[in-house]
Amino acid sequence: MGNSIFMFSNQLDTATLTASSAALPVTNLTNPQRSKIWRSTSNTAWVSAQLDAANGADYLAIVDLNLSTSGMIRVRAWLDAVDGSELEFDQYYDPNVFSVNTEVDVDYGLGDYGLGAFGTNSPISATTRKNVQLLPFGQTLISPFYKIDFMDENVTYVQAGVLFLAKARVFEINLSYDWNIRQIDRSVSKESIAGQRYIQPRDTRLEIRGKFGALSEAERTDMIVQITEVGNTRPIIYSVFPLNNNVGLTTTIYGSFTDSDITNKFENRNEFSFTVTEEL
């Protein structure tokens, strides 16, 4: 399994977005609230983006995409214009759908993922599990123009909550063992005089806590800059295992820091402890 990744500074936040259709506005894809979704009017759709500045990107993340196992995602990038003549990147991806009763790693473009809570044959609703699709480019793109195509015969429309384009931060020495993941229950519970409990269910929040125990001086400096810029309010994406399978889906989070602490143990040895809590 590859090293875990952070995605900071969404380059699409200030981009100009256009969509093939919009039952709900395409600008919602740059709203940090994942519940403000873009929705197309058909089961084939595209979204294009023109960046204010091309700072280099090697991952695209799509939050709460509703495609099923029969769906397909295509990502293209140009240097001159959307649908221009200077194509830098063109790749197809299978939607990352939760598979039941499997522990086998499956690479992009291979195999049948099956159906499950993370991907269904119906649009996302309040009861559908949240998901973050991680689409690696395998290289750093400098393109300022992108187009993402969505296709799925098993849905009536395409919808997603957030598009997130960034250069992933990967540390040379990976996450230390003893990391922790938990669900924070937000349900409201009241108890009557007779002892009966009345519960109002609410969506839970995922929380991931961990530590990188051996940052170099350069990595420490970079992370000080990053955590200063994002603070505890700007959304980021963190993935313990950035994989296209069950392991990746259950250990990837769209959220923000609720704790970030850097400690210098001795020369060229720094620890970064963090907590990322899911945004709803």
Side-chain angles (χ1 to χ4, degrees):
M1 295 183 181
N3 284 14
S4 61
I5 65 170
F6 286 97
M7 293 175 65
F8 302 110
S9 302
N10 186 1
Q11 296 179 34
L12 295 174
D13 279 349
T14 57
T16 300
L17 299 188
T18 305
S20 56
S21 64
L24 294 173
V26 70
T27 51
N28 285 349
L29 289 173
T30 60
N31 190 308
Q33 293 183 3
R34 67 195 301 169
S35 60
K36 291 185 177 294
I37 58 173
W38 160 72
R39 179 181 294 167
S40 72
T41 59
S42 67
N43 58 11
T44 60
W46 55 259
V47 173
S48 66
Q50 179 177 342
L51 305 183
D52 284 352
N55 297 318
D58 57 6
Y59 269 89
L60 174 69
I62 308 173
V63 178
D64 296 339
L65 183 64
N66 73 319
L67 298 192
S68 71
T69 53
S70 65
M72 186 68 68
I73 306 166
R74 184 185 186 186
V75 179
R76 286 175 286 175
W78 292 267
L79 296 171
D80 56 342
V82 174
D83 294 324
S85 59
E86 298 182 42
L87 183 66
E88 184 186 21
F89 183 78
D90 186 356
Q91 186 165 325
Y92 288 87
Y93 300 88
D94 291 323
N96 197 1
V97 177
F98 190 82
S99 301
V100 179
N101 299 325
T102 179
E103 297 180 356
V104 179
D105 291 346
V106 182
D107 293 331
Y108 281 95
L110 300 177
D112 179 9
Y113 296 106
L115 296 177
F118 284 90
T120 66
N121 285 338
S122 60
I124 287 178
S125 67
T127 58
T128 302
R129 291 290 297 274
K130 299 176 288 293
N131 69 84
V132 179
Q133 307 280 324
L134 289 179
L135 310 181
F137 299 154
Q139 59 183 298
T140 299
L141 304 182
I142 60 172
S143 308
F145 303 97
Y146 288 82
K147 190 173 187 179
I148 305 102
D149 294 277
F150 304 95
M151 300 148 275
D152 192 342
E153 62 184 13
N154 283 333
V155 299
T156 55
Y157 50 77
V158 180
Q159 74 176 29
V162 177
L163 282 181
F164 202 113
L165 181 73
K167 180 77 169 66
R169 186 63 175 95
V170 183
F171 297 118
E172 183 176 350
I173 298 178
N174 200 18
L175 181 70
S176 301
Y177 287 107
D178 202 32
W179 56 273
N180 174 267
I181 187 167
R182 71 184 182 110
Q183 292 283 350
I184 302 174
D185 188 3
R186 300 173 51 252
S187 299
V188 177
S189 177
K190 297 291 185 180
E191 185 172 316
S192 70
I193 295 176
Q196 293 82 21
R197 287 201 306 154
Y198 298 88
I199 300 174
Q200 181 188 61
R202 296 183 180 180
D203 286 349
T204 60
R205 293 185 190 273
L206 188 68
E207 181 185 83
I208 299 177
R209 288 180 289 177
K211 179 175 69 176
F212 291 86
L215 270 62
S216 67
E217 300 293 320
E219 290 174 333
R220 181 195 66 191
T221 300
D222 180 66
M223 281 307 298
I224 291 174
V225 172
Q226 295 287 3
I227 63 178
T228 300
E229 288 182 350
V230 302
N232 290 345
T233 57
R234 290 180 59 183
I236 65 170
I237 289 176
Y238 175 65
S239 182
V240 180
F241 301 110
L243 302 169
N244 189 40
N245 56 22
N246 290 2
V247 175
L249 277 172
T250 55
T251 59
T252 300
I253 189 171
Y254 173 75
S256 55
F257 284 121
T258 50
D259 179 64
S260 54
D261 184 77
I262 296 177
T263 304
N264 176 240
K265 289 295 185 180
F266 46 86
E267 184 176 359
N268 207 36
R269 181 64 179 264
N270 307 274
E271 290 185 355
F272 172 49
S273 302
F274 67 94
T275 303
V276 178
T277 305
E278 185 175 43
E279 295 291 339
L280 300 178

